[in-house]
């Protein structure tokens, strides 16, 4: 799984834990009619090894349902006694029962995956956590006093939680640079985020690949074209957002 896969799950799951499966009991097909074709539903009883995320804690033993894919022989993978990281949400009034946030909300535990998920969760729950990006609110280009100089500002939609913007600076004799600011003040020294960080994920995985035309307002054709070119620089520097699973 890719960084974005674990970020998708970690952001959506209020409960993340390392567990060991103690029992995996087949659910009768008559009682699992909502299970996707080609899967077998199991009722899992697991021991909690470590709580990675969960404001309300977690019991030592938990239970959940999972639909496991069947192979060509109609067999599901054996999960008993194996360790996993689960991405789940509590079920109100039933503290020992949880629900996976996605059909693949159970991932094989490895030390590397554990370290990656913990790193993501730390960023997600931090007080200055990078906000979710839902789109572009507006953008404009301001030409400089010298030909070839200027600044493009791109303001992002974050659901009103935290102001977020991207600034692209053009200076004579210098390579164009971009800065990402979270807050009211644009900090020219705030460089683009490092790859495989939560802020990078928020931007690279959710910004549109092209600057929407309706975000530019009433600007000249040349200024609008410059803003679009500068925005493409941002997208290029962020890079792609590979996933090995569907977000939905």
């Amino acid at each position: 799984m890719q960084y974005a896969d674990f970020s998708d799950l970690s952001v959506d799951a209020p409960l993340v834990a390392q567990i060991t499966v103690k029992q995996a009991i087949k659910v009768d097909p008559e009682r699992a009619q909502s299970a996707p074709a080609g899967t077998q539903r199991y009722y899992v009883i697991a021991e909690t090894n470590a709580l990675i995320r969960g404001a309300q804690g977690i019991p030592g033993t938990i239970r959940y349902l999972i639909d496991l894919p069947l192979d060509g022989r109609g067999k599901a993978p054996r999960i008993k006694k194996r360790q996993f990281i689960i991405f789940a949400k509590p079920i109100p009034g039933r503290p020992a029962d949880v629900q996976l946030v996605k059909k693949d909300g159970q991932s094989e535990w490895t030390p590397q995956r554990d370290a990656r998920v913990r790193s993501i969760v730390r960023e997600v729950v931090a007080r200055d956590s990078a906000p979710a990006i839902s789109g572009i609110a507006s953008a404009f280009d301001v030409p400089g006093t010298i030909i070839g100089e200027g600044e493009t500002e791109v303001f992002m939609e974050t659901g009103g939680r935290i102001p977020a913007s991207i600034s692209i600076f053009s200076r004579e004799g210098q390579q164009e640079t971009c800065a990402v600011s979270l807050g009211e003040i644009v900090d020219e020294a705030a460089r683009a985020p490092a790859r495989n960080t939560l802020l990078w994920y928020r931007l690279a995985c959710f910004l549109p690949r092209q600057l929407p035309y309706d975000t530019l307002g009433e600007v000249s054709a040349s200024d609008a074209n410059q803003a679009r070119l500068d925005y493409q620089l941002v997208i290029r520097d962020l890079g792609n957002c590979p996933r090995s699973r569907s977000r939905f």
Side-chain angles (χ1 to χ4, degrees):
M1 291 173 67
Q2 302 285 342
Y3 181 90
D5 298 320
F6 286 117
S7 295
D8 291 339
L9 291 167
S10 298
V11 166
D12 288 343
L15 183 62
V16 182
Q18 177 199 351
I19 58 96
T20 298
V21 173
K22 293 302 182 184
Q23 295 185 62
I25 304 164
K26 281 187 179 181
V27 177
D28 190 295
E30 289 298 317
R31 300 180 61 188
Q33 295 185 13
S34 61
T39 67
Q40 169 66 54
R41 179 163 294 175
Y42 283 86
Y43 178 71
V44 175
I45 301 173
E47 176 185 347
T48 303
N49 299 331
L51 178 64
I52 299 173
R53 181 184 185 184
Q56 304 304 317
I58 188 174
T61 299
I62 59 171
R63 303 180 292 259
Y64 59 92
L65 296 172
I66 188 169
D67 299 322
L68 296 177
L70 302 176
D71 63 18
R73 300 175 299 165
K75 300 290 186 181
R78 295 177 61 86
I79 62 173
K80 186 176 179 180
K81 298 183 180 181
R82 288 166 60 187
Q83 294 187 61
F84 296 91
I85 299 173
I86 62 165
F87 303 85
K89 57 185 178 182
I91 297 177
R94 296 158 56 184
D97 295 322
V98 302
Q99 180 182 354
L100 300 181
V101 293
K102 300 292 182 183
K103 62 182 180 181
D104 57 350
Q106 172 180 281
S107 178
E108 189 88 34
W109 182 89
T110 68
Q112 294 77 19
R113 289 183 176 183
D114 186 279
R116 168 153 286 186
V117 170
R118 287 177 184 273
S119 174
I120 293 169
V121 168
R122 280 195 296 270
E123 290 197 76
V124 170
V125 302
R127 293 183 63 183
D128 59 350
S129 177
I133 305 298
S134 56
I136 302 296
S138 62
F140 60 87
D141 177 71
V142 181
T145 56
I146 300 174
I147 294 176
E149 289 195 353
E151 179 180 329
T152 292
E153 292 288 342
V154 179
F155 296 94
M156 296 172 281
E157 296 175 341
T158 64
R161 180 184 163 206
I162 297 176
S165 62
I166 303 172
S167 305
I168 303 96
F169 304 99
S170 301
R171 301 288 185 264
E172 185 180 18
Q174 300 179 24
Q175 184 176 358
E176 283 188 304
T177 59
C178 68
V180 179
S181 298
L182 301 179
E184 299 289 352
I185 300 174
V186 176
D187 181 3
E188 189 169 343
R191 294 307 177 206
R195 191 175 182 85
N196 291 350
T197 60
L198 184 64
L199 181 55
W200 170 85
Y201 160 79
R202 296 294 201 191
L203 299 174
C205 302
F206 295 96
L207 283 177
R209 306 308 293 177
Q210 304 287 334
L211 190 62
Y213 278 79
D214 60 359
T215 62
L216 289 165
E218 297 181 1
V219 298
S220 69
S222 61
D223 287 350
N225 185 60
Q226 186 61 53
R228 285 191 286 270
L229 290 173
D230 287 345
Y231 183 78
Q232 287 306 120
L233 170 70
V234 173
I235 296 302
R236 185 200 69 194
D237 286 351
L238 288 170
N240 62 357
C241 173
R243 286 184 171 98
S244 57
R245 56 179 290 280
S246 170
R247 282 179 54 215
F248 306 102

